[in-house]
Amino acid sequence: MESALDVLFTHIGQKIQLLESDKAALSDFFKLRALKRRQYLLQEGDLCKYLSFIIDGLLKSFTIDDKGNEHISLLAWEGWWISDFESFVKQTQAKLYIEAVEPTTVLMLSKDNYELLLEQFPIMERYFRILYQNSLTRKDSRLISSNTHSAEEKFKLFMETYPTLHQRVPQNLIASYLGLTAETVSRLKKKRFDQDS
Amino acid sequence: MESALDVLFTHIGQKIQLLESDKAALSDFFKLRALKRRQYLLQEGDLCKYLSFIIDGLLKSFTIDDKGNEHISLLAWEGWWISDFESFVKQTQAKLYIEAVEPTTVLMLSKDNYELLLEQFPIMERYFRILYQNSLTRKDSRLISSNTHSAEEKFKLFMETYPTLHQRVPQNLIASYLGLTAETVSRLKKKRFDQDS
DNA sequence: ACCGTTTCTTGTTCTGCATCAAGCTTAATC
DNA sequence: GATTAAGCTTGATGCAGAACAAGAAACGGT
């Protein structure tokens, strides 16, 4: 069976050319961790010490506002990275919580190892440059959608972009991800279904 | 006086170590362009062929919705890069307009030259990795603010983040950047001022 | 298989901000 | 420096989606 590191290297190999010798050397930089459902990977106020690559499972990152409401900033599953990126990069207090929605395994890369890895493997500069490049285009789209679309348009766009995700993620999390309430999404769903039939 | 390329290299030099020989070689990759007030650097439907580094002046990127309303996705001035990044990276049709708010000069890097430059100067992989890394943390913050804050909080945060920008940029552009109407921002400004005095 | 918790639905009320309108002020442009 | 356009203010009205409420359905853990 495929090891966690193989999953990671396959992923990296889709963006850059990775030598077998590199793989062996890179392995030591990562640490495997298993999370149970509802377990936290990070809590607000912590230092975000790791970039985490998701081998299997699904995580959410979110803030909690003054009224105690949760606002999801990211839903991430196998093949994606997650962190409180600002906290990780600047080594400041985290603003985000990261919590497992499903039982999850991740490969963690510490800040120190991240810097080392970039020093020692220039090809990884390229990998992360491409990774961030793609991430930026998605964030741009999301920001535009967030500022210009109605609730209905946001929901529709989400369902088109991630057509199968609603089978894995409770509707209230999708609502939160879109900056809507669970009630609103429930009504939008009903509306869509009524129209389709 | 300082040339446009010097401005760029100073900026790059803040993130990575750039050799004089590199500078000379890199110069050929960039093309200088001057824009008048209200002139477009990009229009919706175009291919975004360039990353543009702003030497002087100020630009806005925005979408126009079905009702003809403008939604600003970015305000950028000297020392920042601007593009329709998704269109640039994937070479798809641009969704954005980019227009000069002030008379502006930019150094433009074409997609081809971008790829060449990354091939030939591995140090530039590092530069762009760091650039994108920082850009991502800002986008994250903005996305969170957009989904969790009230109009008043967004406006307050904007004024704290860019305390002098309102002297350069008309209020209606700030409103659009924040996903608000000009009227709302006008009222918020009044409210702030009344409270402060 | 059961029980408790989480998630979803549906109705009602409320409110923050948009929209519409119109006069005023400031700033570009010739 | 006159003219025209751009930007700002203030008031009135409307509405999308939040908030509140409460029951129903689905799910997960033991």
Side-chain angles (χ1 to χ4, degrees), chain A residues 129, chain B residues 9 12 16 18 26 30 81 109 114 117-130:
Chain A
R129 193 262 301 165
Chain B
F9 292 143
I12 295 177
I16 57 163
L18 206 53
L26 283 171
F30 293 90
W81 292 86
L109 177 64
Y114 174 67
L117 175 154
L118 291 167
E119 291 288 333
Q120 295 176 15
F121 302 87
I123 185 76
M124 292 303 286
E125 289 280 8
R126 185 174 179 86
Y127 168 75
F128 282 107
R129 192 264 300 163
I130 294 171

Side-chain angles (χ1 to χ4, degrees), chain B residues 102-117:
Chain B
E102 300 173 357
T104 299
T105 55
V106 293
L107 277 173
M108 299 167 76
L109 177 64
S110 73
K111 181 72 158 57
D112 288 348
N113 279 348
Y114 174 67
E115 304 290 358
L116 272 175
L117 175 154

Side-chain angles (χ1 to χ4, degrees), chain A residues 73-145:
Chain A
S73 53
L74 194 70
L75 293 168
W77 52 94
E78 49 279 356
W80 297 91
W81 292 87
I82 196 164
S83 71
D84 181 329
F85 202 52
E86 183 170 8
S87 170
F88 178 79
V89 167
K90 302 183 187 164
Q91 291 289 284
T92 51
Q93 285 207 335
K95 294 185 184 128
L96 301 180
Y97 296 81
I98 302 178
E99 187 187 337
V101 176
E102 301 173 356
T104 300
T105 55
V106 292
L107 277 173
M108 298 167 76
L109 177 63
S110 74
K111 182 74 163 41
D112 289 346
N113 278 347
Y114 174 67
E115 304 290 357
L116 272 176
L117 175 153
L118 291 167
E119 290 287 332
Q120 295 175 16
F121 303 87
I123 185 77
M124 292 304 285
E125 289 280 7
R126 185 175 180 85
Y127 168 73
F128 281 107
R129 193 262 301 165
I130 294 170
L131 184 74
Y132 297 161
Q133 193 171 277
N134 293 335
S135 188
L136 272 173
T137 66
R138 276 189 305 277
K139 293 247 196 278
D140 281 342
S141 303
R142 224 181 125 195
L143 198 53
I144 289 169
S145 175

